[in-house]
Amino acid sequence: MPEGDTVWHTAATLGRHLVGRTLTRCDVRVPRFATVDLSGQVVDEALSRGKHLFIRVGRASIHSHMKMDGSWRVGEHRLRVDHRTRIILEAGAVRAAGVDLPVLEILDRDRDEDVVAHLGPDLLGRDWDPQRAAANLMARPDRPIAEALLDQRVLAGVGNVYCNELCFVSGRLPTAPVGAVGDPLRLVARARDMLWANRSRWDRCTTGDTRAGRRLWVYGRAGQGCRRCGAAINYDGSGERVAYWCPVCQR
Ligand SMILES: [Zn+2]
């Protein structure tokens, strides 16, 4: 599931293959932008803001959001494209393809950040601001922690996996009021540390143990033993978002 770290890593990977190169093909398979052709222009930058991705090419900026199932792939010309492909960019022998992207638009580069102006501090941004993130988190103390962490206007980059993991390491239930968090600065620092540690790998790890099956504290572990106390991890998928928690370690 793409969270802020995945988008950061995707931007870095796209940048490594495309930045400084001239596009030799630009095929946008979204009706509204189907006539846009950026071939002949140089890719200047690929960057993430929270879970939003921008590829800046000349005067244009390709903005995408992967939501639950979208992805970008990059590789050689043989890289497969099909009906799920929304955009194909080529630069010589390199091909990048955006697949199942629910948001894909071509923006004016000078104003591309308007679409992310509503976001709170970007956990992986150069301008990450923990004080502001902590203040945002506490602005509505009665909100459930999970809801506040997932609100991209509070801080940008957390998705379902980190949300559940952060609740676990804080010792709080996802449904507990965020006002009950004793040290919000510590919580946002943990969020930053978790995403930062994972920004350059695809296999997310929050426990510090990167061996298969040991990478996460609670997410995806319904019914399995808590790594701290052994109690069975609880799961609730009935709401808008999934919740995993240890009934002993989290209050
Ligand atoms: Zn436990």
Side-chain angles (χ1 to χ4, degrees), residues 168 226-231 233 246-250:
F168 177 82
C226 170
R227 301 192 195 285
R228 282 202 183 131
C229 75
I233 299 297
C246 171
V248 176
C249 296
Q250 292 173 257

Side-chain angles (χ1 to χ4, degrees), residues 60-214:
S61 180
I62 301 163
H63 168 231
S64 59
H65 195 299
M66 300 190 261
K67 304 262 179 181
M68 301 294 274
D69 302 312
S71 63
W72 275 91
R73 295 167 192 168
V74 62
E76 304 278 304
H77 262 170
R78 288 189 300 277
L79 186 75
R80 203 165 68 89
V81 297
D82 59 23
H83 65 282
R84 293 158 59 223
T85 307
R86 295 285 170 270
I87 182 167
I88 302 163
L89 300 173
E90 289 176 6
V94 175
R95 171 179 287 173
V99 181
D100 277 339
L101 300 172
V103 175
L104 175 66
E105 56 185 351
I106 315 295
L107 303 172
D108 182 343
R109 177 192 181 137
D110 292 336
R111 306 203 51 190
D112 63 352
E113 296 213 42
D114 288 1
V115 298
V116 290
H118 63 288
L119 295 182
D122 179 0
L123 279 157
L124 294 178
R126 280 183 292 252
D127 54 354
W128 164 239
D129 182 344
Q131 275 77 21
R132 195 157 68 83
N136 290 350
L137 205 57
M138 290 298 155
R140 285 167 56 193
D142 55 331
R143 276 181 117 182
I145 299 175
E147 185 186 307
L149 285 171
L150 287 167
D151 184 342
Q152 304 297 301
R153 295 167 298 183
V154 169
L155 75 178
V158 171
N160 276 324
V161 178
Y162 286 117
C163 177
N164 282 285
E165 297 294 285
L166 285 164
C167 289
F168 177 82
V169 300
S170 312
R172 300 287 171 185
L173 292 170
T175 49
V178 71
V181 171
D183 188 346
L185 257 180
R186 182 145 183 253
L187 177 57
V188 300
R190 278 177 149 155
R192 156 85 172 184
D193 289 347
M194 275 190 188
L195 269 80
W196 189 258
N198 285 295
R199 75 195 187 287
S200 298
R201 59 184 173 213
W202 300 116
D203 289 324
R204 198 172 279 136
C205 173
T206 59
T207 57
D209 186 340
T210 54
R211 286 175 289 178
R214 301 188 185 217

